[in-house]
Amino acid sequence: MKLSDRLQLIADEINYGETMADVGTDHGFLPLYLLESGKCPHVIMADISSGSLAKANENCKLAGPGKTYDLRLGDGIDVLEDGEVDVVVIAGMGGLLIRDILDWNVQKSRSIRRYIFQPRNKVGVLRYWLKSNGFEIVKESLVREGKYICEVLTVESGSAVCGDIEYTAEFDYPDTLLEWKNPLTGEYLHTKLKLEEDILNNILENSTNPDAEASKAQDKVKRIHYLLEALEK
């Protein structure tokens, strides 16, 4: 089975011999690949959608007729026992949803040793939650999928809660993007810079209450300067 570049990058973050669960598995391609390649001795395919899980089940029948696979219908990591697997993958969801899945039962979330997240958006919000709740991002990767550049976060669980911390541009564009720089980093930062500049221009051109919009504009200016500095590194 050949995976897309996005799923292959996620697969490469999983170590040989680890058990894994794919939450929001949809077609089940990633766990099936990990099982068939011998990298993972046991995989769990989980999804809240019965339709999506049915697709995974059909692919299981094609991959191993007569074999038994572990498919679970349910919400987030609720389908897992505490610490049941070594690593949990949550990919292709929004950052807010991933945050909410983790926040629903933080004790259970901490029972999983390692996570691999691939948020579609709001990755800064997810980073902020992880930092606030003692989870450590140990690697950040970028991979192209079609016209998009996706972020992949490899995360280890912890227990040291940081408490109230300020949300800054560093959560949206952290130094770790440069620490694990790859050929897509410059393009990614330029895309984000263009987005921030467009938002700032829209604020300045369409504001009917300049005083009320001043703080939003100032925030965008800070983010633009932050990105410009990152591009110079």
Side-chain angles (χ1 to χ4, degrees):
M1 179 182 293
K2 181 173 175 57
L3 298 177
S4 67
D5 289 345
R6 177 178 69 93
L7 291 180
Q8 187 62 58
L9 188 149
I10 294 171
D12 290 344
E13 286 301 302
I14 296 173
N15 301 315
Y16 279 94
E18 285 187 317
T19 57
M20 67 84 69
D22 186 22
V23 173
T25 193
D26 195 26
H27 41 56
F29 289 156
L30 174 64
L32 280 172
Y33 168 85
L34 293 167
L35 195 62
E36 290 181 353
S37 66
K39 196 169 193 179
C40 293
H42 181 68
V43 300
I44 297 170
M45 305 176 212
D47 210 295
I48 195 173
S49 165
S50 57
S52 292
L53 208 60
K55 287 190 291 184
N57 189 39
E58 287 302 312
N59 286 324
C60 288
K61 291 177 181 178
L62 292 172
K67 291 185 179 180
T68 300
Y69 294 87
D70 194 342
L71 292 91
R72 303 184 188 182
L73 180 66
D75 191 0
I77 61 173
D78 285 351
V79 298
L80 305 174
E81 298 296 328
D82 286 6
E84 184 176 4
V85 293
D86 297 312
V87 58
V88 167
V89 173
I90 307 180
M93 299 184 195
L96 293 177
L97 180 55
I98 297 175
R99 177 202 63 185
D100 291 345
I101 287 172
L102 298 171
D103 196 52
W104 181 255
N105 187 337
V106 179
Q107 181 177 343
K108 180 184 284 289
S109 298
R110 287 202 179 103
S111 75
I112 307 298
R113 183 171 58 86
R114 218 158 57 87
Y115 290 91
I116 301 170
F117 300 125
Q118 187 268 299
R120 288 294 188 188
N121 51 44
K122 299 293 184 181
V123 62
V125 174
L126 178 58
R127 288 193 189 99
Y128 178 77
W129 187 94
L130 293 169
K131 177 70 173 179
S132 299
N133 288 275
F135 291 73
E136 182 183 1
I137 300 172
V138 297
K139 186 176 179 181
E140 297 235 15
S141 307
L142 296 174
V143 62
R144 189 183 301 282
E145 185 179 55
K147 64 179 181 179
Y148 299 104
I149 296 177
C150 304
E151 296 161 89
V152 177
L153 280 59
T154 304
V155 175
E156 293 182 355
S157 299
S159 59
V161 179
C162 294
D164 293 333
I165 55 178
E166 182 184 1
Y167 190 111
T168 66
E170 293 183 14
F171 287 104
D172 293 313
Y173 316 117
D175 288 340
T176 47
L177 286 172
L178 299 176
E179 182 179 343
W180 292 295
K181 193 172 184 178
N182 74 12
L184 294 174
T185 304
E187 180 184 346
Y188 174 86
L189 292 174
H190 275 293
T191 299
K192 295 299 182 181
L193 175 62
K194 177 67 165 53
L195 177 64
E196 296 288 2
E197 289 174 337
D198 287 346
I199 294 173
L200 175 60
N201 290 333
N202 186 61
I203 291 172
L204 296 176
E205 292 173 3
N206 299 298
S207 175
T208 56
N209 187 342
D211 292 335
E213 300 289 345
S215 62
K216 291 182 182 179
Q218 289 174 358
D219 177 66
K220 293 303 171 187
V221 168
K222 288 180 182 178
R223 288 169 177 269
I224 289 168
H225 284 309
Y226 186 89
L227 283 165
L228 287 171
E229 289 177 359
L231 284 164
E232 291 177 357
K233 292 180 181 179

